[in-house]
PDB file of all heavy atoms in Angstrom:
ATOM      1  N   PRO B 446      -3.670  22.651  17.603  1.00  0.00           N
ATOM      2  CA  PRO B 446      -5.013  22.195  17.335  1.00  0.00           C
ATOM      3  C   PRO B 446      -4.953  21.355  15.994  1.00  0.00           C
ATOM      4  O   PRO B 446      -4.364  21.819  14.983  1.00  0.00           O
ATOM      5  CB  PRO B 446      -5.720  23.510  17.065  1.00  0.00           C
ATOM      6  CG  PRO B 446      -4.901  24.507  17.829  1.00  0.00           C
ATOM      7  CD  PRO B 446      -3.497  24.064  17.633  1.00  0.00           C
ATOM      8  N   ALA B 447      -5.637  20.191  15.972  1.00  0.00           N
ATOM      9  CA  ALA B 447      -5.663  19.354  14.853  1.00  0.00           C
ATOM     10  C   ALA B 447      -6.679  19.911  13.872  1.00  0.00           C
ATOM     11  O   ALA B 447      -7.691  20.319  14.266  1.00  0.00           O
ATOM     12  CB  ALA B 447      -6.014  17.950  15.228  1.00  0.00           C
ATOM     13  N   SER B 448      -6.350  19.870  12.565  1.00  0.00           N
ATOM     14  CA  SER B 448      -7.393  20.172  11.514  1.00  0.00           C
ATOM     15  C   SER B 448      -7.989  18.812  11.132  1.00  0.00           C
ATOM     16  O   SER B 448      -7.454  17.772  11.351  1.00  0.00           O
ATOM     17  CB  SER B 448      -6.709  20.800  10.330  1.00  0.00           C
ATOM     18  OG  SER B 448      -5.885  19.886   9.721  1.00  0.00           O
ATOM     19  N   ALA B 449      -9.082  18.871  10.407  1.00  0.00           N
ATOM     20  CA  ALA B 449      -9.794  17.727   9.991  1.00  0.00           C
ATOM     21  C   ALA B 449      -8.929  16.782   9.169  1.00  0.00           C
ATOM     22  O   ALA B 449      -8.954  15.523   9.348  1.00  0.00           O
ATOM     23  CB  ALA B 449     -11.075  18.073   9.219  1.00  0.00           C
ATOM     24  N   SER B 450      -8.020  17.345   8.344  1.00  0.00           N
ATOM     25  CA  SER B 450      -7.221  16.469   7.510  1.00  0.00           C
ATOM     26  C   SER B 450      -6.062  15.915   8.219  1.00  0.00           C
ATOM     27  O   SER B 450      -5.352  15.054   7.672  1.00  0.00           O
ATOM     28  CB  SER B 450      -6.655  17.335   6.304  1.00  0.00           C
ATOM     29  OG  SER B 450      -5.848  18.319   6.866  1.00  0.00           O
ATOM     30  N   ASP B 451      -5.823  16.217   9.531  1.00  0.00           N
ATOM     31  CA  ASP B 451      -4.781  15.495  10.298  1.00  0.00           C
ATOM     32  C   ASP B 451      -5.210  14.122  10.582  1.00  0.00           C
ATOM     33  O   ASP B 451      -4.300  13.227  10.904  1.00  0.00           O
ATOM     34  CB  ASP B 451      -4.450  16.272  11.578  1.00  0.00           C
ATOM     35  CG  ASP B 451      -3.643  17.561  11.225  1.00  0.00           C
ATOM     36  OD1 ASP B 451      -2.805  17.487  10.271  1.00  0.00           O
ATOM     37  OD2 ASP B 451      -3.778  18.537  11.942  1.00  0.00           O
ATOM     38  N   PHE B 452      -6.521  13.896  10.614  1.00  0.00           N
ATOM     39  CA  PHE B 452      -6.968  12.526  10.866  1.00  0.00           C
ATOM     40  C   PHE B 452      -7.081  11.818   9.597  1.00  0.00           C
ATOM     41  O   PHE B 452      -7.714  12.254   8.679  1.00  0.00           O
ATOM     42  CB  PHE B 452      -8.337  12.478  11.733  1.00  0.00           C
ATOM     43  CG  PHE B 452      -8.169  13.228  13.012  1.00  0.00           C
ATOM     44  CD1 PHE B 452      -8.629  14.458  13.334  1.00  0.00           C
ATOM     45  CD2 PHE B 452      -7.416  12.521  14.021  1.00  0.00           C
ATOM     46  CE1 PHE B 452      -8.476  15.028  14.497  1.00  0.00           C
ATOM     47  CE2 PHE B 452      -7.208  13.161  15.333  1.00  0.00           C
ATOM     48  CZ  PHE B 452      -7.731  14.477  15.503  1.00  0.00           C
ATOM     49  N   GLY B 453      -6.397  10.615   9.464  1.00  0.00           N
ATOM     50  CA  GLY B 453      -6.295   9.986   8.218  1.00  0.00           C
ATOM     51  C   GLY B 453      -5.067  10.328   7.390  1.00  0.00           C
ATOM     52  O   GLY B 453      -4.863   9.790   6.330  1.00  0.00           O
ATOM     53  N   ALA B 454      -4.263  11.187   7.987  1.00  0.00           N
ATOM     54  CA  ALA B 454      -2.969  11.684   7.283  1.00  0.00           C
ATOM     55  C   ALA B 454      -1.916  10.669   7.621  1.00  0.00           C
ATOM     56  O   ALA B 454      -1.807  10.046   8.623  1.00  0.00           O
ATOM     57  CB  ALA B 454      -2.582  13.008   7.660  1.00  0.00           C
ATOM     58  N   GLU B 455      -1.009  10.525   6.500  1.00  0.00           N
ATOM     59  CA  GLU B 455       0.209   9.606   6.681  1.00  0.00           C
ATOM     60  C   GLU B 455       1.373  10.668   6.875  1.00  0.00           C
ATOM     61  O   GLU B 455       1.847  11.050   5.871  1.00  0.00           O
ATOM     62  CB  GLU B 455       0.417   8.646   5.549  1.00  0.00           C
ATOM     63  CG  GLU B 455       1.534   7.649   5.831  1.00  0.00           C
ATOM     64  CD  GLU B 455       1.811   6.743   4.601  1.00  0.00           C
ATOM     65  OE1 GLU B 455       1.543   7.148   3.489  1.00  0.00           O
ATOM     66  OE2 GLU B 455       2.373   5.658   4.856  1.00  0.00           O
ATOM     67  N   PHE B 456       1.743  11.059   8.105  1.00  0.00           N
ATOM     68  CA  PHE B 456       2.679  12.034   8.205  1.00  0.00           C
ATOM     69  C   PHE B 456       4.085  11.573   7.748  1.00  0.00           C
ATOM     70  O   PHE B 456       4.825  12.448   7.334  1.00  0.00           O
ATOM     71  CB  PHE B 456       2.787  12.577   9.631  1.00  0.00           C
ATOM     72  CG  PHE B 456       1.393  13.147  10.199  1.00  0.00           C
ATOM     73  CD1 PHE B 456       0.690  12.517  11.115  1.00  0.00           C
ATOM     74  CD2 PHE B 456       1.006  14.299   9.661  1.00  0.00           C
ATOM     75  CE1 PHE B 456      -0.512  13.068  11.607  1.00  0.00           C
ATOM     76  CE2 PHE B 456      -0.215  14.891  10.053  1.00  0.00           C
ATOM     77  CZ  PHE B 456      -1.022  14.238  11.045  1.00  0.00           C
ATOM     78  N   LEU B 457       4.502  10.492   8.214  1.00  0.00           N
ATOM     79  CA  LEU B 457       5.868   9.880   7.947  1.00  0.00           C
ATOM     80  C   LEU B 457       6.907  10.764   8.499  1.00  0.00           C
ATOM     81  O   LEU B 457       8.005  10.806   7.966  1.00  0.00           O
ATOM     82  CB  LEU B 457       6.010   9.743   6.405  1.00  0.00           C
ATOM     83  CG  LEU B 457       5.158   8.748   5.677  1.00  0.00           C
ATOM     84  CD1 LEU B 457       5.350   8.771   4.103  1.00  0.00           C
ATOM     85  CD2 LEU B 457       5.410   7.258   6.121  1.00  0.00           C
TER      86      LEU B 457
END
Side-chain angles (χ1 to χ4, degrees):
Chain B
S448 69
S450 66
D451 285 327
F452 298 105
E455 189 184 27
F456 299 113
L457 296 173

